[in-house]
Amino acid sequence: MSVPAFRPVLDQLPGYRATEGVYDGEPARPLSANESPDEPLPGVLAAVTAAGALAHRYPDPLCTALTRALARRHGVPEEAVLAGAGSVALLQALMTACARPGAEVVFPWRSFELYPPLAQLAGLRPVPVPLADHRNDLDAMADRITSDTRLVLVCNPNNPTGTVVGERALRAFLDRVPPDCQVVLDEAYFEYVRTPDTCSGLTLLGAYPNLAVTRTFSKAYGLAALRVGYLVGAPDVVEALAKVRLAYSVSGVAQEAALASLALEERLRARVDDTVAERTRMRTALLAAGFGVPESHSNFLWLPLGDDAAAFGRHCTAERIAVRTYDGEGVRVSVGSPGDNDAFLACAAAWPSAVYEPV
Ligand SMILES: *Cc1c(COP(=O)(O)O)cnc(C)c1O
């Protein structure tokens, strides 16, 4: 018998499963976690070093300078911005803040794998709504909202399928959500969007007070290891979440690195453009090799292989290429360095049964 007796929900949670070869064993080509293949820009490393010299001091618990810079960047009041130790920490804070007996959270599925366990940990009932055509099915999600629904998550672009939802559909959806139900647009990959077919929730905040947007420095900005993301939303939501967020959880190093990165927007944009070009190159090659691959608006591609997913994942692992496998559904591959991408494309071209339905 385990002592102390923990909450039974813990027995239902799988625990985070890292892809083989990424943090242990013989290093694999890292295409499983949607990281930037580029190191932080030189100015950012200098900021990290300078902040490291203050490691004996607690960081600014309010992230004052970063919050101010983000507010300026997005043209919103500082009271509408909250930084956190990764956007996941802010999603967790939101769920914790929303959890009341019987409360539900509606989210798309398949989507970001942390949505269900974060909901269960917070004590919210998860209501996963299947994707339609690899997209968040906003109509079906709106249909599932009840008086118990406290929170709805929209993942745009969606992880792991890379699809976006249209602006018109987004507005129509938001019109259907009751004003006392919080909506969060998870825009972890929005910097990679190059289509006018969608819009950022940041442009809709004025029209929908129950909307919030989360963004992260972990992906396009290349600061995954430092853990910093942020939320933009109504000031009263920010005020509530600031009570849930752990004080000092965003390190001084992370705050300074994020600030320095924000000042290097042009250079960052150029690097993201390179990733977008690689994404197109990879998808074109995969389509030519017979894979069905939905058009991606993120830094990864989705191969909906169904029952072949596990075998294809093993095929990649055997070539020391780390990808994310979703048994029975598909495989997600990050757009990495050109060399790693080439290795993946060669591996995919060698997959014997590469004849799939066009997507
Ligand atoms: C990677 C990712 C995040 C970012 O998490 P951080 O905690 O900011 O590193 C959030 N949402 C989705 C959908 C992601 O894929």
Side-chain angles (χ1 to χ4, degrees):
M1 199 177 99
S2 77
V3 178
F6 291 130
R7 290 167 54 206
V9 69
L10 294 185
D11 295 331
Q12 296 166 28
L13 299 179
Y16 196 78
R17 181 179 54 89
T19 303
E20 200 184 314
V22 178
Y23 307 107
D24 62 343
E26 195 190 324
R29 294 181 185 271
L31 299 180
S32 64
N34 303 341
E35 298 144 334
S36 168
D38 301 308
E39 292 171 6
L41 296 162
V44 176
L45 286 179
V48 163
T49 305
L54 289 172
H56 59 117
R57 301 286 182 199
Y58 280 109
D60 173 2
L62 303 178
C63 305
T64 309
L66 178 59
T67 303
R68 188 170 299 147
L70 288 166
R72 211 174 297 141
R73 166 65 49 89
H74 295 304
V76 296
E78 285 171 38
E79 299 72 42
V81 178
L82 188 71
S87 52
V88 161
L90 294 166
L91 290 174
Q92 182 168 40
L94 256 169
M95 297 214 201
T96 304
C98 287
R100 301 201 294 226
E104 298 175 347
V105 51
V106 170
F107 54 84
W109 198 252
R110 169 63 70 175
S111 190
F112 189 36
E113 61 197 298
L114 289 184
Y115 294 158
L118 287 179
Q120 287 173 283
L121 270 177
L124 286 165
R125 192 147 66 83
V127 181
V129 180
L131 302 180
D133 196 20
H134 304 296
R135 279 165 220 277
N136 287 203
D137 188 345
L138 295 180
D139 282 338
M141 288 168 67
D143 288 343
R144 296 296 299 277
I145 295 173
T146 70
S147 55
D148 287 327
T149 309
R150 303 271 39 95
L151 182 63
V152 185
L153 307 175
V154 175
C155 192
N156 194 43
N158 188 54
N159 174 4
T161 55
T163 54
V164 289
V165 288
E167 176 172 357
R168 195 119 60 85
L170 206 48
R171 285 180 182 275
F173 167 75
L174 289 164
D175 285 336
R176 286 186 64 190
V177 180
D180 66 343
C181 175
Q182 179 71 43
V183 179
V184 177
L185 274 170
D186 182 340
E187 297 188 349
Y189 300 98
F190 210 84
E191 292 85 354
Y192 298 99
V193 171
R194 292 290 182 277
T195 169
D197 295 347
T198 189
C199 72
S200 169
L202 292 171
T203 65
L204 303 174
L205 292 174
Y208 301 96
N210 59 336
L211 177 65
V213 174
T214 55
R215 296 250 180 130
T216 182
F217 286 93
S218 297
K219 307 288 160 57
Y221 287 91
L223 300 180
L226 296 183
R227 314 303 306 128
V228 54
Y230 60 99
L231 174 140
V232 186
D236 54 351
V237 170
V238 166
E239 194 184 333
L241 297 185
K243 297 176 187 171
V244 181
R245 172 187 67 171
L246 284 176
Y248 306 122
S249 57
V250 186
S251 74
V253 171
Q255 293 182 40
E256 292 301 328
L259 250 181
S261 298
L262 273 178
L264 298 166
E265 197 71 5
E266 297 265 303
R267 296 183 65 173
L268 212 70
R269 171 89 187 184
R271 297 196 328 188
V272 170
D273 282 349
D274 291 344
T275 298
V276 169
E278 279 292 286
R279 169 177 90 198
T280 305
R281 179 176 80 88
M282 288 173 80
R283 178 165 182 256
T284 304
L286 289 167
L287 292 175
F291 292 90
V293 185
E295 187 180 3
S296 170
H297 301 281
S298 56
N299 67 338
F300 52 83
L301 293 165
W302 174 241
L303 281 61
L305 297 166
D307 290 342
D308 286 347
F312 183 81
R314 284 193 298 272
H315 172 69
C316 294
T317 305
E319 298 293 324
R320 307 301 308 154
I321 298 169
V323 295
R324 198 81 187 174
T325 301
Y326 302 80
D327 279 5
E329 293 174 71
V331 167
R332 186 193 72 198
V333 58
S334 308
V335 178
S337 69
D340 288 347
N341 299 339
D342 282 341
F344 173 76
L345 291 176
C347 174
W351 176 243
S353 47
V355 180
Y356 295 96
E357 292 292 307
V359 174

